[in-house]
């Protein structure tokens, strides 16, 4: 089978599973945005994914994404940065349409300044560390109010919601407590945020647990291997959020 036919078939199968998951949760397909995670895959996969009708693509390294973005102009692709972002890359990162990994006031403010200068309006999600793992990125629950407060005075970036990356466990149910906690946290915080900030979006769920995440209220799911198969090269631990082997 050609790459295109393989990816078309996988996209079709995932769309069916998504449709089942949303209807089981009494939700609508329009409520869940599917991000195809193309990190470490070559441009051929980016092309095939867009030809298969996927328009939201996720990458976790700024440099790799910028190359792919430059090679696919005028395709109407919505680019998502899902990996950890170092402050010194903020300037480059504001070309992404969405950034899922904002985890400090200082990063938020750097992004806002860079976005303002470059006249861009990236949509941001605050990554929350619910596992309390020293190696994982993300803001602690205690840090969230100050980040949301700072978000209210941003001029260019727009905070849209929260993101979580639970510890990677084989069991698809293992993520559920994290997904549920993220939604509860959102519900608790929502009445307290200023009206320039929204917490409508919950980015949670990956290839092995997206159906569970949808049951728990995910509005954005990030799928790599379920759409493209195993990644061609193991992403480096430093740049890849998903560093634990399954
Ligand atoms: C790589 C990655 C994904 C996709 O993981 P799969 O298991 O391949 O679906 C999702 N989210 C983040 C943050 C990632 O780094």
């Amino acid at each position: 089978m050609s790459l295109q036919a393989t990816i078309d078939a996988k996209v079709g199968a995932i769309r069916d599973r998504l449709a089942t998951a949303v209807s089981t949760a009494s939700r609508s397909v329009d409520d869940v945005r599917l991000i195809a995670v193309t990190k470490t895959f070559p441009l051929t996969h980016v092309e095939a994914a867009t030809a298969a009708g996927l328009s939201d693509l996720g990458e976790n390294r700024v440099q790799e994404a910028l190359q792919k973005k430059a090679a696919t102009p005028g395709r109407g692709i919505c680019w998502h940065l899902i990996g950890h972002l170092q402050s010194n890359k903020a300037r480059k990162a504001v070309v992404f349409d969405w950034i899922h990994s904002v985890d400090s006031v200082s990063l938020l403010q750097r992004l806002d300044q860079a976005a303002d200068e470059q006249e861009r309006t990236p949509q941001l999600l605050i990554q929350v560390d619910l596992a309390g793992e020293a190696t994982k990125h993300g803001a602690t629950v205690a840090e969230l109010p100050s980040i949301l407060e700072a978000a209210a005075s941003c001029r260019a970036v727009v905070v849209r919601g929260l993101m979580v990356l639970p510890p990677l466990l084989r069991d698809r149910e293992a993520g559920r407590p994290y997904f549920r906690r993220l939604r509860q946290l959102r519900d608790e915080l929502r009445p307290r945020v200023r009206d320039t900030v929204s917490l409508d979006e919950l980015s949670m769920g990956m290839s092995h647990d997206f159906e569970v995440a949808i049951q728990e209220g995910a509005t954005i799911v990030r799928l790599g291997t379920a759409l493209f198969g195993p990644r061609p090269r193991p992403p480096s631990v430093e740049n890849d959020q998903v560093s634990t082997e399954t």
Side-chain angles (χ1 to χ4, degrees), residues 35-41 58-60 81-84 100-101 127 163-165 168 203 205-210 221-231 235 239-243 246:
I35 300 184
V37 179
T38 45
K39 67 181 181 195
T40 81
F41 285 103
E59 287 282 334
N60 66 342
L81 180 66
I82 60 173
H84 175 63
H100 293 227
S101 48
Q127 183 177 353
M163 180 271 218
V164 74
L165 183 60
L168 246 198
S203 170
M206 302 169 33
S207 292
H208 69 292
D209 59 10
F210 72 92
V221 293
R222 313 174 304 261
L223 309 190
T225 50
L227 293 168
F228 305 117
R231 275 182 278 281
N239 289 303
D240 192 292
Q241 299 221 325
V242 179
S243 52
T246 46

